[in-house]
Amino acid sequence: MLEVKDLHVTVEDKAILKGLNLTVQPGEVHAIMGPNGAGKSTLSAVIAGKDGYEVTQGSILFEGQDVLEMEIEERARAGLLLGFQYPIEIPGVKNIYLLKAALNAAREARGEGEIPAPEFMKLVREKSAEMQMDPSFLQRAVNEGFSGGEKKRNEILQMLVLQPKLAMLDEIDSGLDIDAMKVVAKGVNSLRSADRAILLVTHYQRLLNHIEPDRVHVLVDGRIVKSGDKSLALELEARGYDWVLEESVA
Amino acid sequence: MASEEMEQLVRREYKQGFVTDIESETVPPGLDESVIAFISQKKGEPEWMLEWRLEAYRQWLKMTPPSWAHLDYPPIDYQAISYFSAPKKPEDRPQSLDEVDPKLLETYEKLGIPLHERAALAGVAVDAVFDSVSVTTTFKEKLFEAGVIFCSISEAIRDYPELVRQYLGTVVPRSDNYFAALNSAVFTDGSFVYVPEGVTCPMELSTYFRINAANTGQFERTLIVCDNKAQVSYLEGCTAPQRDENQLHAAVVELVALEDAYIKYSTVQNWYPGDEEGKGGIYNFVTKRGDCRGDRSRISWTQVETGSAITWKYPSCMLRGKESIGEFYSVAVTNGRQQADTGTKMIHIGEGTRSTIVAKGIAAGRSDQSYRGLVKIGPRAKGARNYTQCDSLLIGDQCGAHTFPYQEIGNSSATVEHEATTSKIADDQLFYCRARGIDEEDAVSMIVNGFCKDVFQELPMEFAVEAEALLNVTLEGSVG
């Protein structure tokens, strides 16, 4: 589904990713872990198409399409969705309005018509209940005045409504207390399905107690230096990152 | 872009509008007392009106154009303007929409303007406007039953001279400013509204309905009087781009609210802004002022300004009556080479007066805009309150936004609050929307509309929907 090959990325002439390889199949949950500054967030930002990242080498294919040739919105409509570490506030724009515009944009790209209003309302109510969000959140301006936990739940709500093929969640656990994390994890787990993949970018193992990954990758200094199953995450938790680094240098 | 010829045709023809019964004589360009006498005579005005105009003219001669605004334009040659021009004959106008600039039609399409109105707006000589004539008729009957007077200012001078004489120039004196003096001397068109005591006007009054009765002129004069406990909502302008061969527009609007009266004045202005280099756009120098003369009266200005090459406009409120209320809600959008210097004045004179100012400025392209606002609290205005919020949003990095707030507080019991922000349309907001699959232009319009929400919700419902569409069209292509 997603194939990242020999990806080199620079930000303001500084090399961040230096030959990253990653393959994700439908149905899989991958966790990208690593120390601060290793390039974890860069990976998901580049896949989503954020400005300021220059790909100097390598390729990203999503279902056979060259992602780097696609506009930001085309990537999203194709089913590549990024959940933000720091969701953005948009004053005056209702949350529900953004959701509807995003959903209809994706439907239009698939050649479907706009979603009928009653169907949309039903869908959104159902999904917000799943995220334990009061319906009043839908009428508030996007992320404006939301607490950290509310913003993260809102990101997952968008995923539940938009049903991406590949959900990339950037540090979705940062700033969450344990209860909020459980709600977020429950939402993410409900996204799991045989035809959908999830890419979790996280610093801590904690999240992976709630969302069990199929594959864990350790990203250090712009490369994936070690991959394994969920037990790797536990090992990282116990021993830190230094040993992986030493092993990879050796 | 369609051929320049066509565009000129559209512009040249538009001004003539749809009025067929005015005199077909023209005075040569230039202004002196004989021209004013000619205008007054053509309008069939009484002697006092002519005297009033001449006095304005004599004062104008002693004045100089204002230079304090943050605007840059070449000096205007007032002797090169024709102050009374005859309408074009119908056969000289475009005969069908096929002859009209397709780009203009495309814009009408985007704004969702009904077909027959498109023809009217583009100055096509067809009888499609008959539809609105029937609308106008029913509408006039309804107003007549309620006792509301709504007619052109020229008719009012003829038919209701006492009312006009009592109020004209009492809010904006002839010598108020250079453009007001000029307008007082030469105005030829505009609206007059009188709502009698205790009457709530049964419908929103719109110049739109009047489009066939009197075309918006170069020097428009509007006078609205709300008697005790009366209310009216007046809608000026229309969202479709209006073209005009006259580059200079200097309108005066006077509002008078007596005891417990409420006047809501909403404007959507979309004059031709000029081409990409700013050539050919309208200069809009407007004096708008409301006088809250009676206790507990209220005047509310709501404006959405998107057109004109140059806008110079400060709808203001004189808060004389005790506990009277003044409000100003504004969205000003500039793109391309447009320049706007706009804002308001809230003059608190009476006790317990309150005012609210919410001004939103959006600058894109290479445009430049300023908010200029004065809050003045007089010594007798005990307990007066003002709240001002002015926010600017920049799109791109070649535009400019400036804020000039002035405060004169002559009373220690007053409360004056001012909040101001300037932000660039944030790349991260755009990215966030696009990363949800929303394309760039839709994302910009979503963010901008969100930014303007506080003002749009003050507009009458229909106008608000049109204003949103207008904003989107105005900002089209301003990013990326």
Side-chain angles (χ1 to χ4, degrees):
Chain A
M1 174 180 262
L2 179 75
E3 218 172 322
V4 181
K5 273 191 190 159
D6 191 32
L7 188 66
H8 287 70
V9 175
T10 59
V11 177
E12 288 168 356
D13 292 331
K14 187 168 179 270
I16 306 290
L17 296 184
K18 305 166 184 172
L20 185 141
N21 292 290
L22 177 68
T23 303
V24 179
Q25 301 297 342
E28 293 178 347
V29 175
H30 287 237
I32 309 275
M33 302 186 69
N36 286 329
K40 299 190 299 290
S41 293
T42 298
L43 176 62
S44 53
V46 168
I47 297 174
K50 192 168 184 187
D51 270 353
Y53 297 83
E54 197 192 343
V55 176
T56 53
Q57 201 178 314
S59 64
I60 305 173
L61 292 182
F62 178 66
E63 295 191 315
Q65 292 185 79
D66 184 353
V67 171
L68 297 175
E69 288 298 312
M70 296 161 80
E71 294 288 341
I72 301 166
E73 49 269 37
E74 288 172 348
R75 301 179 195 199
R77 291 173 196 167
L80 267 173
L81 217 56
L82 172 64
F84 281 51
Q85 180 179 5
Y86 303 109
I88 308 300
E89 300 186 1
I90 310 177
V93 177
K94 279 183 187 176
N95 218 9
I96 193 164
Y97 185 76
L98 178 83
L99 275 174
K100 196 170 181 188
L103 183 60
N104 282 330
R107 288 173 66 108
E108 204 178 296
R110 292 195 295 265
E112 300 165 21
E114 287 194 359
I115 185 167
E119 197 182 312
F120 175 71
M121 287 312 295
K122 186 168 171 277
L123 173 73
V124 185
R125 288 233 168 92
E126 201 179 286
K127 299 300 182 190
S128 2
E130 250 177 71
M131 291 314 294
Q132 300 185 14
M133 289 170 80
D134 190 271
S136 66
F137 269 87
L138 297 168
Q139 302 301 328
R140 285 171 57 182
V142 177
N143 292 319
E144 199 183 32
F146 286 24
S147 72
E150 287 165 347
K151 284 182 180 172
K152 294 297 173 72
R153 276 191 274 162
N154 201 33
E155 291 294 290
I156 304 300
L157 171 65
Q158 293 177 357
M159 297 273 172
L160 294 176
V161 171
L162 298 174
Q163 299 278 317
K165 290 177 182 162
L166 174 66
M168 299 183 287
L169 302 170
D170 187 9
E171 307 263 355
I172 199 71
D173 50 333
S174 67
L176 293 187
D177 62 29
I178 190 71
D179 291 328
M181 173 135 72
K182 280 182 181 164
V183 176
V184 164
K186 190 178 147 225
V188 175
N189 283 325
S190 78
L191 277 171
R192 295 181 87 136
S193 82
D195 48 12
R196 177 176 300 123
I198 296 171
L199 191 61
L200 298 168
V201 172
T202 180
H203 190 67
Y204 299 107
Q205 133 77 16
R206 195 172 70 143
L207 178 71
L208 306 181
N209 292 333
H210 303 277
I211 308 169
E212 212 171 276
D214 300 300
R215 299 289 293 162
V216 174
H217 309 278
V218 184
L219 179 58
V220 177
D221 193 26
R223 279 185 209 94
I224 288 177
V225 295
K226 196 172 179 65
S227 299
D229 59 17
K230 62 181 178 182
S231 63
L232 178 58
L234 294 170
E235 202 173 351
L236 289 170
E237 177 81 351
R239 297 173 61 186
Y241 288 107
D242 288 349
W243 66 276
V244 192
L245 195 59
E246 280 157 26
E247 213 172 68
S248 75
V249 173
Chain B
M1 183 61 86
S3 78
E4 204 161 285
E5 212 178 326
M6 189 57 81
E7 223 178 284
Q8 278 174 356
L9 187 69
V10 173
R11 289 212 329 257
R12 193 181 70 231
E13 302 303 336
Y14 178 74
K15 195 229 160 209
Q16 315 317 334
F18 325 103
V19 181
T20 48
D21 64 349
I22 50 175
E23 302 86 340
S24 54
E25 286 172 64
T26 305
V27 288
L31 185 57
D32 58 26
E33 297 202 357
S34 72
V35 169
I36 293 165
F38 176 85
I39 292 171
S40 190
Q41 191 203 336
K42 279 288 164 203
K43 293 278 167 192
E45 290 174 355
E47 184 62 26
W48 63 265
M49 195 63 232
L50 174 61
E51 279 309 314
W52 197 86
R53 286 176 180 274
L54 289 173
E55 181 52 34
Y57 173 68
R58 288 167 199 146
Q59 289 182 352
W60 179 71
L61 285 176
K62 292 182 223 149
M63 300 166 87
T64 49
S67 58
W68 43 263
H70 193 79
L71 299 170
D72 180 24
Y73 59 94
I76 297 165
D77 181 357
Y78 294 91
Q79 294 304 330
I81 295 170
S82 176
Y83 291 85
F84 190 89
S85 53
K88 287 277 187 305
K89 293 189 193 84
E91 54 268 31
D92 294 339
R93 298 189 202 155
Q95 296 300 304
S96 78
L97 281 175
D98 300 341
E99 294 176 34
V100 173
D101 180 357
K103 182 139 185 177
L104 191 63
L105 296 178
E106 202 181 296
T107 310
Y108 293 166
E109 174 86 45
K110 284 177 193 154
L111 289 168
I113 293 171
L115 263 176
H116 67 274
E117 287 171 16
R118 286 182 212 178
L121 288 162
V124 174
V126 290
D127 51 13
V129 288
F130 278 5
D131 279 7
S132 56
V133 173
S134 57
V135 171
T136 311
T137 313
T138 8
F139 161 80
K140 283 208 159 164
E141 279 168 13
K142 245 180 141 177
L143 287 177
F144 182 78
E145 277 169 34
V148 175
I149 301 170
F150 178 34
C151 61
S152 78
I153 193 85
S154 304
E155 284 175 73
I157 291 166
R158 285 196 301 268
D159 301 344
Y160 310 99
E162 329 68 45
L163 274 175
V164 175
R165 209 171 174 180
Q166 187 181 348
Y167 292 105
L168 188 73
T170 61
V171 185
V172 179
R174 284 167 292 187
S175 58
D176 188 80
N177 67 70
Y178 190 78
F179 300 111
L182 178 63
N183 174 287
S184 301
V186 302
F187 72 86
T188 48
D189 257 309
S191 303
F192 175 75
V193 177
Y194 174 78
V195 187
E197 181 161 354
V199 171
T200 296
C201 186
M203 63 191 66
E204 269 156 358
L205 297 183
S206 170
T207 47
Y208 211 60
F209 285 108
R210 227 172 40 77
I211 201 156
N212 199 39
N215 193 18
T216 311
Q218 186 175 11
F219 299 100
E220 216 181 345
R221 184 97 195 182
T222 297
L223 174 61
I224 299 177
V225 180
C226 246
D227 215 321
N228 297 340
K229 296 190 173 65
Q231 291 192 18
V232 70
S233 169
Y234 187 89
L235 279 57
E236 173 201 47
C238 90
T239 51
Q242 296 187 64
R243 304 214 151 195
D244 197 313
E245 67 178 302
N246 297 310
Q247 191 167 36
L248 174 69
H249 278 245
V252 170
V253 176
E254 297 180 279
L255 310 182
V256 179
L258 302 183
E259 265 181 35
D260 297 294
Y262 175 29
I263 302 175
K264 183 177 174 66
Y265 193 104
S266 311
T267 306
V268 172
Q269 184 270 115
N270 190 19
W271 291 111
Y272 183 53
D275 63 15
E276 274 156 33
E277 291 304 311
K279 289 200 187 100
I282 302 289
Y283 294 180
N284 196 25
F285 297 93
V286 182
T287 307
K288 288 184 164 176
R289 195 171 303 152
D291 189 355
C292 283
R293 212 166 276 185
D295 293 349
R296 296 166 307 278
S297 58
R298 176 177 170 199
I299 288 178
S300 178
W301 298 101
T302 306
Q303 59 170 20
V304 176
E305 297 283 322
T306 63
S308 300
I310 292 179
T311 303
W312 179 97
K313 182 178 173 186
Y314 316 91
S316 305
C317 295
M318 307 283 298
L319 302 168
R320 282 184 220 278
K322 266 189 205 166
E323 292 166 33
S324 59
I325 299 173
E327 291 161 313
F328 175 74
Y329 302 99
S330 166
V331 167
V333 189
T334 51
N335 200 350
R337 289 278 191 166
Q338 284 176 276
Q339 303 176 56
D341 193 305
T342 180
T344 185
K345 287 188 278 186
M346 291 292 173
I347 313 295
H348 292 255
I349 298 163
E351 258 177 55
T353 47
R354 283 181 289 155
S355 64
T356 303
I357 299 170
V358 178
K360 305 271 182 179
I362 299 152
R366 286 181 290 173
S367 67
D368 199 59
Q369 66 167 270
S370 306
Y371 167 79
R372 190 180 300 278
L374 168 68
V375 176
K376 184 172 179 173
I377 312 247
R380 284 186 295 123
K382 290 202 183 79
R385 302 175 73 94
N386 162 266
Y387 171 73
T388 300
Q389 184 194 334
C390 70
D391 301 320
S392 309
L393 187 66
L394 306 177
I395 301 177
D397 50 17
Q398 289 183 293
C399 50
H402 318 270
T403 304
F404 303 97
Y406 306 91
Q407 291 181 351
E408 294 172 25
I409 317 293
N411 186 320
S412 60
S413 65
T415 316
V416 175
E417 289 174 76
H418 182 94
E419 288 177 27
T421 65
T422 298
S423 49
K424 200 166 152 359
I425 194 158
D427 288 340
D428 54 2
Q429 287 179 336
L430 267 183
F431 176 61
Y432 189 74
C433 294
R434 295 180 71 194
R436 298 287 169 267
I438 297 163
D439 71 39
E440 193 168 17
E441 283 202 343
D442 289 347
V444 168
S445 77
M446 190 186 275
I447 295 165
V448 169
N449 277 302
F451 175 77
C452 299
K453 204 180 129 220
D454 298 349
V455 174
F456 284 173
Q457 67 193 16
E458 296 295 330
L459 285 171
M461 187 62 178
E462 270 180 58
F463 240 31
V465 174
E466 287 182 31
E468 275 188 38
L470 175 61
L471 211 62
N472 297 346
V473 173
T474 307
L475 291 173
E476 220 166 62
S478 62
V479 287

